Amino acid sequence: GESVGLHLPTLSVQEGDNSIINCAYSNSASDYFIWYKQESGKGPQFIIDIRSNMDKRQGQRVTVLLNKTVKHLSLQIAATQPGDSAVYFCAESHSGGGADGLTFGKGTHLIIQP
Amino acid sequence: DVKVTQSSRYLVKRTGEKVFLECVQDMDHENMFWYRQDPGLGLRLIYFSYDVKMKEKGDIPEGYSVSREKKERFSLILESASTNQTSMYLCASSPGYGYTFGSGTRLTVV
C-alpha cells in the first residue's frame, strides 16, 4: 500500500532560525496533503494543507511546498520559536480530502535550542 | 471553536475486558475516525464512519468494532482487550477536508 515517510525522526534548530521538515510519499494518486503538529500529551493539531493542483501555500510563519515530480512535501517554519517544539506529521489522501482516512508519516520531532 | 472530546484521558483495563472509548464532536461533521498511535508506527486508521450507522474498516480493524448511533458520537469498542491494544487512541472528525483531533485516550491493558 501507499506509505508516507519523513526523512528525519529528529531535527534540532536554533531559536530564531528557519526550520525545514521534509516528507516523502509514494502514492502518485495522492491529491491532498496536510501537516499536523503534536505537542506532548495532546492530539495532533492542523497546521496547513495543500491540494495537488498547487505547489506552494503559505500560512502564518509556515509554508508548505509540494513537488509532485519527486513526490516530496516540505514544511517551512520561519523564525522558529520555543512554542514550535513538537512532533510534526505529514499526511496524505487520495480520496479528495481524507474522507476515507489519511495516511500519516511517522513524525519528526522538532527540538528548539536557545 | 471546533471541538472533539474524548471521554477519558487515561484508562487501565484488564485483559479480556470489554472496553468502550467514546468520542463526541460538536461541529456537525459527517466523517469520524479512530486512529491508534504507537511509537515508531505513527498513526494507523482503525475504523471510520461517513454517517450515522455507517462504518468502514481502516487499516487495522482486527480486535475492534465501532458504533455510530448519533451523528455527533463515535464509539470504539474493544471486544476483549489484549495487552497489544495498549496504545494512544485518537478520535477525529472532518467535514470533508482536514481533520480535527481529540486529545487522545491513553489505554493500558494489564
Side-chain angles (χ1 to χ4, degrees), chain A residues 32 34 36 38 41-46 49 51 89 96-106, chain B residues 9 31 33 35 37 40-43 45 48 50 59 90 94 96-104:
Chain A
Y32 179 62
I34 311 178
Y36 283 92
Q38 187 174 25
K42 298 183 179 179
Q45 178 186 1
F46 173 90
D49 60 358
R51 299 184 192 184
F89 294 94
D100 290 344
L102 294 171
T103 299
F104 285 82
K106 292 181 174 48
Chain B
R9 290 299 305 274
N31 306 310
F33 307 84
Y35 284 83
Q37 184 176 26
L41 296 176
L43 282 78
L45 181 62
F48 61 102
Y50 292 120
D59 299 319
L90 290 161
S94 171
Y97 279 91
Y99 285 15
T100 300
F101 280 91
S103 296

Side-chain angles (χ1 to χ4, degrees), chain B residues 44-81:
Chain B
R44 293 178 291 165
L45 181 62
I46 305 171
Y47 266 97
F48 61 102
S49 169
Y50 292 120
D51 203 348
V52 176
K53 296 194 186 294
M54 296 186 71
K55 59 184 179 182
E56 298 286 341
K57 292 180 180 179
D59 299 319
I60 52 164
E62 295 78 20
Y64 304 95
S65 62
V66 290
S67 173
R68 192 156 181 212
E69 296 296 319
K70 294 184 178 182
K71 190 175 187 180
E72 67 270 18
R73 186 180 296 269
F74 192 35
S75 302
L76 180 69
I77 303 157
L78 286 65
E79 297 290 342
S80 177

Side-chain angles (χ1 to χ4, degrees), chain B residues 1-45:
Chain B
D1 203 12
V2 158
K3 204 166 184 181
V4 176
T5 303
Q6 294 184 232
S7 55
S8 303
R9 290 299 305 274
Y10 300 95
L11 276 178
V12 180
K13 296 292 182 180
R14 293 193 180 278
T15 302
E17 276 192 78
K18 190 169 186 176
V19 181
F20 293 86
L21 302 184
E22 305 288 346
C23 176
V24 177
Q25 51 102 355
D26 64 0
M27 299 160 285
D28 202 37
H29 289 168
E30 276 76 30
N31 306 310
M32 295 188 74
F33 307 84
W34 275 105
Y35 284 83
R36 64 178 283 178
Q37 184 176 26
D38 301 287
L41 296 176
L43 282 78
R44 293 178 291 165
L45 181 62

Side-chain angles (χ1 to χ4, degrees), chain A residues 67-80:
Chain A
N67 185 330
K68 293 180 287 293
T69 303
V70 296
K71 298 202 230 6
H72 184 268
L73 188 71
S74 68
L75 176 70
Q76 299 178 3
I77 305 172
T80 311

